[in-house]
Amino acid sequence: MKMKLGTMAVAAVMAASPVMADLVFPSLSYRTGPYAAGGIPFADGYADYMTLLNERDGGIGGVATRILECETGYNTEKGVECYEATKGEGSLVYQPLSTGITYQLIPKATADDIPVHSMGYGRTSAKNGNVFSHVFNYPANYWDGASGAINYLLEANGGDISGKKIALVYHNSAYGKEPIRTLQNLAEKHGFELMEVAVDHPGQEQKSQWLQIRRERPDNVLMWGWGVMNQVAIQEAANIRYPMENFIGIWWSGSENDVLPAGDAANGYKALTFHGVGDDFPVFDDIQKYVVDAGKAAGAGDQVGTVLYNRGLYAAMLAAEAAKKAQEIHGVADITAGMMRDGMEALDITEAKMAELGLPNFGPEFAVSCENHGGNALVGVTQWDASAGTWSLISDFKATDGDVIGPLIEEDSASYASENGIDPNCG
Amino acid sequence: MFYREAGDFSTTYPQDSQTFPIRFDRYRYYVVLAVALLVLPFVMTDYLVNSIFLPFLIYAIAAIGLNILTGYCGQVSLGTGGFMAVGAYACYKLMTAFPDVNIFFHVILAGGITALVGTAFGLPSLRIKGFYLAVATLAAQFFLVWLFNKVSWFYNYSASGQINAPERTVFGVPVTGANTDAWATYLFCLVFTVGAALLARNLTRGAVGRQWMAIRDMDIAAEIIGVNPLKAKLTAFAVSSFFVGVSGALFFAVYLGAVEVGEVFGITKSFLVLFMIIIGGLGSIFGSFAGAAFLVVLPVVLKIVGVDMLGWPTDIVAHFQLVIVGALIIVFLRYEPHGIAQLWRVAKEKLRLWPFPH
């Protein structure tokens, strides 16, 4: 009986594999489960940009793109299954949108010579391309986010935050724990007091955490949350009348889904970002014309211009640009995953290029190199306007504290290299 | 016609008391084993091994473990996820502390450590029964997950709290880490699964197993006829936790390679294994295999049929999957509460009489 099922699966996989004359971009999406509210717009943005390239430009360098969607439900085991099911179809780059699945894929994809782009999530020390040859996390990572938030507070307080109390409300998982070490070092450097408040998955119950915050009265609250945890935290903050302008979320805690449930009470809430917000960019006209009006939008088609849709679109844009670069380097149109990796490593995003793509000032300029897989670590801040129902960028993309982050990245990647016996990849 | 004992005479007691007394059954078992050992490793692909065979083999060990406790000894446990986490973290600590010792022994030792932890959490079972014991094991589940999240010694003080399996080899062939071959990981897990099944089968039909079943059927009566409930219940907890610990260690080291305790070993894992033994059949080794296969393979098949063949949107298929699995659980509980194992037994009875049912 076992054998029969095995052969059935093989037959099915074989029947499902078409000829490889296209550029395959797998999308490990989650449109179900407790984190679906974040997963849907990202997957839609990613798919719509690829559709736009096919409809408007005839693909990338003349080769059509194909989105291969696989539902993970934010579950690591399903993510592994999705990876194994899709990697044989010529998948070029994986964007798992989950810290757990990223950690799974780092060794597997490296062994299979397929790049992983964990944009603004995943393992922070993957910035060190010397150790993580196939993992990219440009344009910014969590430690940049932590430092960016502290820099923003420094600026707002005239350069001195010593003696202040800053609370970190975090998802009690690998994702939420990422910034703690950086924040501890920054606390030492700038003399503020860090208060760690953990929220367990999925984060629907946070009464005791916010009671603690009400009692201890921190000057600022930072949040590393995802999914339903964000909405609940913002609602709870409103319930204890915590001033919203002192409350800053990471980029995964700053979408419309997170602030809308709290209504007017969420007005003034801030979130970090590494890309532009809103749909006031020329590329959205093309998306409207070629994708939405043509009835080819992914999902329900109602997410265009939301924060996470823009992030999916940005991820697709960076992937497409890297593919172009790879075609340029290797001189072939139908690239492989290994070539895609070279393209990602040579990626150079300038303002002129973004303007040409219809995304002027959408994100920071950066260039990837063999040693630096993480970009220039520029982080901006957005703020929610509840009456207008829009996010707006209130601080430019600014540099973060490389003196603190650099050594931490060095330390963490060195321990990964020694645990796994990895030789330096560059030079 | 095929399946009957006619002409099959036992001349010695060992022949009479073997696991498969009917010749056809015995040969079928040898064929399955031969196919699993000699044929499947050669046709194994990354996709097959990672989406079907590794989860099936590993969940089968966990299901056997829980079946010993719940199906044979009658002690309901909701702590399976927590005990799997003990196995995984024990294996991780052993792997990183003693890199020169073979991974095979680390997995066994991880099972041993889990057996100790399981016995400790089994102590309340002497005083509390039924639903109350389920709640006590639920406490173990939450406590263990909290412990592995909180105390950074368990994950060697890594910044993210994740544990990663370094590369370890058996006879020079890597079985953990990134550079493994499909056949190697498959065979490694198969050895543990077959070993666990043999051990469990022989324990359950021996004196220990009969004591467990006596406790399950009526603990006061068992005590009167001379079964020591302390010994019976604690051995059940220890043996069950040993198997669950081995499966947790394999789950982390061979199958996933990187684990975050809250996500992988949460309460859903406890329920999943419990569903496996309920659907497969309580108090049956074959039922553990059938339940594990059913719940591992069904989602994959549904996905292949729905997404790859019919081209439906992935979210619709994912929702359908929940509906179908839920409906099947209800159907099983209503029409065959003894699970797939009972269907199998009924089929065998019918086969023995076929084609002359009277």
Side-chain angles (χ1 to χ4, degrees):
Chain A
M1 181 194 73
K2 275 187 285 174
M3 187 58 205
K4 219 171 169 184
L5 287 167
T7 44
M8 261 164 61
V10 171
V13 169
M14 281 175 167
S17 316
V19 281
M20 285 182 214
D22 41 15
L23 300 175
V24 179
F25 292 91
S27 169
L28 305 191
S29 60
Y30 36 100
R31 294 173 183 274
T32 62
Y35 301 95
I40 291 170
F42 187 91
D44 284 355
Y46 197 69
D48 281 354
Y49 189 79
M50 293 298 176
T51 312
L52 173 69
L53 289 181
N54 282 348
E55 299 297 317
R56 189 188 60 188
D57 311 338
I60 301 171
V63 188
T65 64
R66 181 159 64 98
I67 285 281
L68 199 56
E69 197 157 331
C70 188
E71 171 71 34
T72 68
Y74 202 71
N75 174 310
T76 309
E77 287 156 62
K78 280 195 194 147
V80 172
E81 199 245 307
C82 278
Y83 171 77
E84 298 294 348
T86 53
K87 78 173 183 189
E89 301 208 20
S91 298
L92 293 177
V93 55
Y94 280 89
Q95 316 233 15
L97 199 65
S98 142
T99 302
I101 299 175
T102 309
Y103 270 76
Q104 285 298 317
L105 294 192
I106 289 172
K108 283 189 212 291
T110 307
D112 291 331
D113 196 19
I114 301 174
V116 174
H117 183 198
S118 54
M119 187 179 77
Y121 55 91
R123 188 168 189 143
T124 301
S125 60
K127 180 175 175 138
N128 185 355
N130 223 346
V131 171
F132 296 90
S133 58
H134 285 70
V135 189
F136 298 82
N137 57 6
Y138 52 77
N141 57 48
Y142 288 137
W143 299 352
D144 300 332
S147 169
I150 297 299
N151 281 354
Y152 177 76
L153 294 178
L154 275 170
E155 212 171 279
N157 290 290
D160 180 27
I161 51 170
S162 60
K164 292 217 180 249
K165 192 187 274 184
I166 297 176
L168 170 70
V169 178
Y170 66 96
H171 193 262
N172 199 0
S173 65
Y175 153 58
K177 284 177 186 165
E178 279 275 348
I180 293 178
R181 186 86 76 73
T182 313
L183 285 172
Q184 283 168 344
N185 287 12
L186 286 167
E188 230 168 80
K189 182 172 173 181
H190 297 295
F192 64 86
E193 190 190 332
L194 180 68
M195 173 183 153
E196 294 161 23
V197 185
V199 175
D200 277 315
H201 159 92
Q204 264 153 330
E205 179 51 56
Q206 300 178 26
K207 278 268 187 293
S208 70
Q209 283 89 346
W210 287 93
L211 200 65
Q212 192 188 347
I213 286 170
R214 190 164 99 172
R215 203 172 50 230
E216 310 237 343
R217 299 188 174 281
D219 297 291
N220 290 95
V221 175
L222 305 181
M223 173 160 73
W224 250 252
W226 186 223
V228 73
M229 171 183 165
N230 293 331
Q231 311 167 3
V232 175
I234 290 168
Q235 186 63 56
E236 290 289 345
N239 291 351
I240 66 163
R241 296 181 195 285
Y242 190 82
M244 278 297 162
E245 54 277 7
N246 294 346
F247 188 9
I248 306 178
I250 184 67
W251 37 74
W252 301 114
S253 305
S255 74
E256 287 80 1
N257 304 319
D258 307 328
V259 284
L260 282 174
D264 286 339
N267 191 36
Y269 173 74
K270 290 170 185 163
L272 302 168
T273 188
F274 51 80
H275 61 78
V277 287
D279 58 0
D280 195 13
F281 296 94
V283 75
F284 284 99
D285 301 336
D286 283 351
I287 287 195
Q288 189 66 35
K289 183 172 151 201
Y290 291 100
V291 181
V292 179
D293 291 346
K296 289 180 173 149
D302 55 353
Q303 303 285 340
V304 182
T306 64
V307 173
L308 290 167
Y309 181 92
N310 284 12
R311 194 163 299 154
L313 184 132
Y314 187 49
M317 186 273 275
L318 294 179
E321 288 310 302
K324 275 183 206 162
K325 197 84 189 171
Q327 290 173 335
E328 208 174 285
I329 295 173
H330 289 275
V332 283
D334 198 7
I335 54 170
T336 64
M339 296 177 187
M340 180 73 182
R341 192 208 78 87
D342 299 339
M344 291 174 83
E345 204 163 83
L347 188 63
D348 186 6
I349 296 292
T350 58
E351 184 49 46
K353 186 176 270 177
M354 281 191 291
E356 181 199 328
L357 294 168
L359 290 161
N361 291 316
F362 191 74
E365 293 190 323
F366 66 92
V368 187
S369 68
C370 183
E371 286 81 15
N372 180 359
H373 280 191
N376 296 350
L378 302 178
V379 173
V381 181
T382 59
Q383 190 168 29
W384 173 249
D385 182 344
S387 53
T390 52
W391 288 94
S392 49
L393 203 59
I394 56 167
S395 157
D396 278 342
F397 300 107
K398 287 183 183 162
T400 49
D401 197 340
D403 297 342
V404 170
I405 301 167
L408 285 172
I409 287 180
E410 204 53 50
E411 185 193 324
D412 191 61
S413 55
S415 77
Y416 181 83
S418 72
E419 262 176 40
N420 293 281
I422 291 171
D423 296 326
N425 166 50
C426 308
Chain B
M1 189 172 168
F2 304 108
Y3 185 82
R4 58 185 45 190
E5 55 268 70
D8 203 358
F9 302 109
S10 313
T11 48
T12 60
Y13 281 116
Q15 268 180 10
D16 204 37
S17 63
Q18 57 189 328
T19 295
F20 297 106
I22 298 175
R23 195 191 290 140
F24 179 80
D25 236 3
R26 194 158 60 240
Y27 288 150
R28 181 189 51 79
Y29 163 71
Y30 289 143
V31 167
V32 168
L33 211 55
V35 167
L37 273 171
L38 302 175
V39 180
L40 284 182
F42 293 99
V43 296
M44 201 50 66
T45 63
D46 275 353
Y47 175 72
L48 279 182
V49 84
N50 277 321
S51 53
I52 294 179
F53 282 97
L54 283 191
F56 162 65
L57 291 173
I58 295 169
Y59 277 124
I61 303 178
I64 290 172
L66 187 63
N67 224 335
I68 285 178
L69 188 63
T70 304
Y72 284 98
C73 196
Q75 313 295 308
V76 181
S77 166
L78 291 175
T80 319
F83 294 131
M84 282 177 84
V86 173
Y89 277 75
C91 186
Y92 173 69
K93 286 305 281 185
L94 289 166
M95 280 167 92
T96 49
F98 307 104
D100 299 326
V101 179
N102 194 302
I103 173 79
F104 188 83
F105 300 107
H106 286 325
V107 173
I108 303 276
L109 279 175
I113 291 169
T114 315
L116 291 179
V117 175
T119 315
F121 280 103
L123 282 173
S125 69
L126 301 171
R127 286 292 178 86
I128 51 182
K129 285 169 191 159
F131 289 125
Y132 303 98
L133 181 64
V135 173
T137 52
L138 193 64
Q141 162 75 44
F142 285 114
F143 169 74
L144 290 167
V145 167
W146 173 84
L147 181 75
F148 293 127
N149 221 340
K150 182 80 184 168
V151 182
S152 40
W153 177 79
F154 287 113
Y155 45 85
N156 285 357
Y157 309 100
S158 78
S160 57
Q162 289 239 354
I163 55 173
N164 286 284
E167 182 168 298
R168 293 290 180 266
T169 57
V170 175
F171 303 124
V173 180
V175 291
T176 67
N179 300 305
T180 51
D181 286 321
W183 64 269
T185 51
Y186 165 74
L187 274 184
F188 187 69
C189 288
L190 182 70
V191 166
F192 278 102
T193 310
V194 171
L198 283 177
L199 189 62
R201 172 71 193 164
N202 286 310
L203 275 176
T204 48
R205 64 202 191 117
V208 188
R210 280 157 209 273
Q211 287 178 10
W212 292 339
M213 285 185 265
I215 291 284
R216 173 192 66 191
D217 292 341
M218 195 174 186
D219 52 352
I220 292 174
E223 210 173 335
I224 288 168
I225 61 167
V227 174
N228 182 351
L230 174 80
K231 199 181 132 210
K233 284 182 179 177
L234 286 190
T235 48
F237 263 98
V239 172
S240 156
S241 308
F242 173 79
F243 286 134
V244 172
V246 166
S247 81
L250 293 174
F251 202 82
F252 152 68
V254 181
Y255 174 43
L256 287 182
V259 156
E260 183 186 334
V261 63
E263 198 210 336
V264 174
F265 296 121
I267 181 76
T268 45
K269 189 96 345 164
S270 302
F271 280 118
L272 181 65
V273 180
L274 193 62
F275 289 154
M276 281 176 184
I277 64 167
I278 290 174
I279 289 183
L282 288 168
S284 155
I285 303 295
F286 171 77
S288 311
F289 279 96
F294 189 77
L295 284 188
V296 167
V297 172
L298 183 73
V300 175
V301 169
L302 285 180
K303 204 188 85 173
I304 287 172
V305 170
V307 178
D308 298 343
M309 290 183 179
L310 300 177
W312 291 355
T314 50
D315 51 338
I316 304 258
V317 175
H319 285 138
F320 254 117
Q321 194 179 304
L322 294 175
V323 173
I324 291 173
V325 171
L328 279 173
I329 289 175
I330 294 173
V331 168
F332 262 106
L333 289 180
R334 169 66 185 81
Y335 291 101
E336 193 47 274
H338 297 290
I340 300 173
Q342 179 65 16
L343 286 180
W344 180 240
R345 274 193 287 268
V346 170
K348 284 203 294 191
E349 284 305 313
K350 291 256 159 71
L351 266 179
R352 278 169 92 163
L353 299 175
W354 186 84
F356 306 110
H358 298 293

